Amino acid sequence: MNTKVVMLDEHNLDKSALIECGRVIRGGGLVAFPTETVYGLGANALDSEAVKKIFKAKGRPQDNPLIVHVWNTESIKPLVKEIPQIACKLMNKFWPGPMTIILLKSDLIPDETSAGLNSVGIRMPSNLIARELIKISEVPIAAPSANISGRPSPTDVERCVEDLMGKVDYIIGGDKCDVGVESTVIDCSVYPPCVLRPGGITLEMLREVDDKIYIDPAVMKKPDKDFKPKAPGMKYRHYAPKAPVKIVQGELNKTVEKIKEIAEEYDRENKIVGIMATDETINYYGKGVILSLGSRENLDKIAQNLFETLRSFDDKKVDVILSEAFNEEGIGIAIMNRLKKSAGFDIINV
Ligand code: TXA
Ligand code: MG
């Protein structure tokens, strides 16, 4: 397939390019586009044939449902059975933005989109390219992250091109994504609502609306046959660069010492070690390819850089990646969720 790449300025939109992409979506084609979280791979959510193309392009397991993106609240009504009051409150407070709400689906949503579930995830992105594309397409857009299944999600257009060139009709490029990790997925088809995937809207923020909101306990643990996360997508090894990732967790100075020790062992075996450090620790390491995620004082920045840094280690052809850990509070929960999954829960406690 011949993929066209078009660069757009979110704050000075070239409508003619979006009109063309809208036509592609309506015609059953695939368009990758930026959102404030990660890049998405979009198709008409109401067209089962178009949705099947998403699964094929990504190599995505069939049992993993897609999120349906809308540009205004009006367009949600036909897609769902009902909108509980708690969902309305969350929408009013956090939309447009990095939050997906799970509701009982109407018959308009094909089984391919919901992967056979009776519910559907709805999200209103804040990125203006995304919203204008949905509006111009005149249909809701189903969009998973625009990566090959299993790899870290793309947070800039180059990574999107790397994964999807030749597999989609259009790639729309915009700025680097603000949030850097995917949206918070919250199930409002049940009460109290349950967070199925931590993301840009933190638990603390959600609890300002209702303090009964909680996180699916399976999310931060290694999935096994008795302990399954409620979001089908959370059970797969995910967000993973080519090299295996190991997390070292504990007091920061002990973490640094342990990572140095392991790095030296690998170095003796002539392996290239990647070290995922922070501004506070980067100068203490010696051997290896050392990249900083940013300052520990600014976890938002660390979230924004996480996937890009994991992918950079692949470019540098490292054999193994050793990562520091972060406090599991605020956006730190989403960071540690992605990091643990990328490591397949290989964690060394010090
Ligand atoms: O930030 C985002 O949400 C990005 C951008 C492109 O909007 N999209 C995204 O989609 O991350 P995806 O497909 O990579 O992740 C969707 C997650 C999966 O873990 C999936 O299992 C879960 O949401 N999910 C979707 N619909 C669901 C449903 N009806 N019930 C439970 N989980 C659902
Ligand atoms: Mg994804």
Side-chain angles (χ1 to χ4, degrees):
M1 188 187 285
N2 183 12
T3 304
K4 289 188 198 142
V5 181
V6 52
M7 295 300 299
L8 294 184
D9 175 355
E10 188 180 350
H11 301 288
N12 184 16
L13 281 178
D14 169 4
K15 290 268 173 75
S16 63
L18 286 172
I19 290 170
E20 167 81 16
C21 290
R23 221 177 273 136
V24 170
I25 294 276
R26 270 197 309 282
L30 299 182
V31 177
F33 60 94
T35 84
E36 70 278 17
T37 56
V38 300
Y39 275 69
L41 165 53
N44 178 355
L46 307 181
D47 175 347
S48 55
E49 290 308 313
V51 165
K52 279 185 198 159
K53 292 184 195 165
I54 293 182
F55 283 86
K56 188 153 176 254
K58 279 185 61 107
R60 182 177 175 103
Q62 296 289 335
D63 68 345
N64 195 4
L66 303 177
I67 292 172
V68 175
H69 296 67
V70 296
W71 72 275
N72 66 357
T73 39
E74 267 313 286
S75 25
I76 302 171
K77 282 185 196 144
L79 307 177
V80 300
K81 285 230 162 86
E82 53 178 5
I83 307 180
Q85 211 190 354
I86 179 71
C88 289
K89 282 192 192 160
L90 292 168
M91 290 171 188
N92 285 338
K93 188 148 171 124
F94 299 116
W95 274 358
M99 176 183 71
T100 296
I101 294 193
I102 309 282
L103 297 170
L104 292 177
K105 80 175 188 80
S106 77
D107 293 340
L108 258 191
I109 302 286
D111 278 345
E112 283 76 7
T113 303
S114 65
L117 298 179
N118 64 355
S119 60
V120 61
I122 313 267
R123 165 158 131 79
M124 189 195 292
S126 61
N127 180 290
L128 297 176
I129 298 175
R131 286 186 68 192
E132 199 58 32
L133 174 69
I134 305 163
K135 186 175 176 188
I136 286 182
S137 300
E138 296 173 348
V139 289
I141 296 184
S145 47
N147 50 287
I148 298 297
S149 229
R151 301 210 65 205
S153 305
T155 50
D156 65 28
V157 66
E158 287 81 12
R159 295 304 185 184
C160 206
V161 167
E162 193 176 291
D163 277 18
L164 296 180
M165 203 61 185
K167 295 185 172 155
V168 300
D169 299 286
Y170 258 97
I171 296 175
I172 304 176
D175 289 340
K176 179 175 162 183
C177 302
D178 276 340
V179 183
V181 291
E182 301 83 350
S183 63
T184 303
V185 176
I186 178 160
D187 187 357
C188 289
S189 73
V190 289
Y191 188 85
C194 174
V195 175
L196 309 187
R197 178 176 71 180
I201 303 295
T202 64
L203 182 64
E204 292 85 343
M205 290 159 81
L206 294 167
R207 281 190 174 158
E208 278 175 28
V209 176
D210 186 330
D211 61 9
K212 293 197 182 61
I213 295 175
Y214 68 105
I215 298 190
D216 175 8
V219 155
M220 301 306 276
K221 305 213 166 67
K222 189 172 182 165
D224 62 33
K225 61 179 184 347
D226 306 316
F227 207 50
K228 276 203 199 109
K230 294 190 179 91
M234 298 303 281
K235 69 175 181 280
Y236 297 108
R237 171 142 194 258
H238 223 139
Y239 316 114
K242 291 177 187 128
V245 180
K246 289 176 191 292
I247 302 169
V248 178
Q249 192 166 35
E251 239 175 74
L252 195 54
N253 56 347
K254 285 191 191 154
T255 298
V256 172
E257 284 315 310
K258 187 71 184 173
I259 290 180
K260 277 167 77 173
E261 183 190 315
I262 305 173
E264 272 158 29
E265 278 168 33
Y266 278 116
D267 187 68
R268 279 195 290 277
E269 296 167 18
N270 290 321
K271 296 228 168 86
I272 308 173
V273 186
I275 298 178
M276 199 142 75
T278 45
D279 290 356
E280 288 78 4
T281 57
I282 188 160
N283 291 327
Y284 293 98
Y285 296 109
K287 298 239 157 52
V289 175
I290 308 156
L291 300 176
S292 173
L293 284 169
S295 167
R296 288 181 167 272
E297 305 272 298
N298 187 351
L299 284 185
D300 288 336
K301 207 66 198 168
I302 288 185
Q304 192 189 30
N305 291 334
L306 180 65
F307 288 144
E308 177 53 31
T309 308
L310 285 170
R311 282 182 175 243
S312 301
F313 284 118
D314 277 346
D315 298 342
K316 299 193 168 29
K317 309 235 171 340
V318 303
D319 296 301
V320 60
I321 300 166
L322 306 173
S323 179
E324 295 175 7
F326 298 91
N327 286 341
E328 291 181 13
E329 56 189 30
I331 188 85
I333 297 185
I335 296 171
M336 284 309 291
N337 166 262
R338 304 310 191 273
L339 204 51
K340 284 178 179 177
K341 288 190 151 304
S342 72
F345 291 84
D346 188 349
I347 302 167
I348 301 157
N349 286 299
V350 290

